Amino acid sequence: MSESHGLAPTLRDLLVETFAVVLGIVLGLGATAWVEARSERAHTRAVRAFIVGEVTANRDSVAASRDYHAGLMDSLYTRMGPDGTAPSVRLFSRGFIHPATTLSTAWDAAVATDALTAMDYDEVLAFSRVYAAQQRYGESSREGGRVIYAELLARGTPGLAENYRNLFSLIAASRYLETDLIREYDRALAAVRADSMQAPG
């Protein structure tokens, strides 16, 4: 009897120690998971911030080009009558067309590192549409540049200015694409703002 009583505290101690070890492991795993989840959320916020910053800068650049092209169109439109005269080359202070310089560095890095997987699907979809539209704009701008370059070789700078009626159409196409691209930028940025407002504090 005395031997069984002597074993009971030892067994209880063993159970307590085992429970403490298991509890420590569970708490440690939980803490690790919490730290990893927190780190992933911080990384996702950083990736989103980089993309939003890039999209915002690209929007500003495209808006500046759109405004330049709108100004050229206004000036050229006043000359469209039968007695219209060719504009001075000085009117085209930033070129006959001036495509915006846009970047996709943040987006490409996020795609390459699978950083988009933790982002909200609607945001990723909105941004992917933006960058697809941006790529189409870049391709169209390069094609417009090739047309301008060919005309410059064929006519020279004054000759191209004299052909301002055809030039008007090329500028109008650029302005249309820029207006459409800005619309896509605004949609994507609005999606991010809406998601941020719905996210828990």
Side-chain angles (χ1 to χ4, degrees):
M1 222 45 191
S2 61
E3 289 180 5
S4 66
H5 282 304
L7 288 175
T10 306
L11 182 59
R12 192 180 317 121
D13 291 345
L14 182 61
L15 289 174
V16 169
E17 285 180 21
T18 303
F19 176 76
V21 170
V22 170
L23 181 62
I25 292 172
V26 170
L27 290 176
L29 290 174
T32 300
W34 180 80
V35 169
E36 288 176 354
R38 186 179 179 191
S39 176
E40 185 177 343
R41 286 194 300 272
H43 179 66
T44 300
R45 283 194 299 271
V47 168
R48 183 191 289 114
F50 284 128
I51 293 173
V52 167
E54 184 171 76
V55 166
T56 302
N58 287 342
R59 187 201 183 283
D60 291 344
S61 180
V62 172
S65 291
R66 178 204 55 190
D67 293 346
Y68 173 70
H69 291 142
L72 289 181
M73 287 175 65
D74 288 344
S75 296
L76 294 178
Y77 186 76
T78 61
R79 302 169 181 272
M80 288 297 187
D83 300 324
T85 56
S88 166
V89 174
R90 287 178 298 197
L91 174 65
F92 306 96
S93 60
R94 294 164 67 187
F96 289 106
I97 59 170
H98 183 73
T101 299
T102 58
L103 301 175
S104 61
T105 308
W107 176 256
D108 292 342
V111 170
T113 58
D114 287 331
L116 300 177
T117 55
M119 282 180 61
D120 179 76
Y121 177 76
D122 289 338
E123 289 181 2
V124 173
L125 186 61
F127 284 129
S128 67
R129 285 175 178 156
V130 160
Y131 283 98
Q134 187 173 283
Q135 185 174 3
R136 290 192 299 272
Y137 170 72
E139 290 166 358
S140 177
S141 296
R142 285 189 289 275
E143 183 58 34
R146 283 191 285 270
V147 171
I148 293 288
Y149 183 68
E151 287 293 303
L152 281 172
L153 288 178
R155 299 170 179 264
T157 302
L160 186 54
E162 288 172 8
N163 193 24
Y164 64 92
R165 286 180 173 83
N166 289 339
L167 189 58
F168 181 91
S169 299
L170 191 59
I171 295 168
S174 293
R175 182 175 176 270
Y176 173 82
L177 288 172
E178 286 152 359
T179 300
D180 190 56
L181 183 53
I182 288 169
R183 205 172 290 125
E184 288 293 341
Y185 287 138
D186 289 343
R187 282 196 197 106
L189 293 171
V192 173
R193 284 192 292 270
D195 184 63
S196 298
M197 288 175 66
Q198 291 172 7

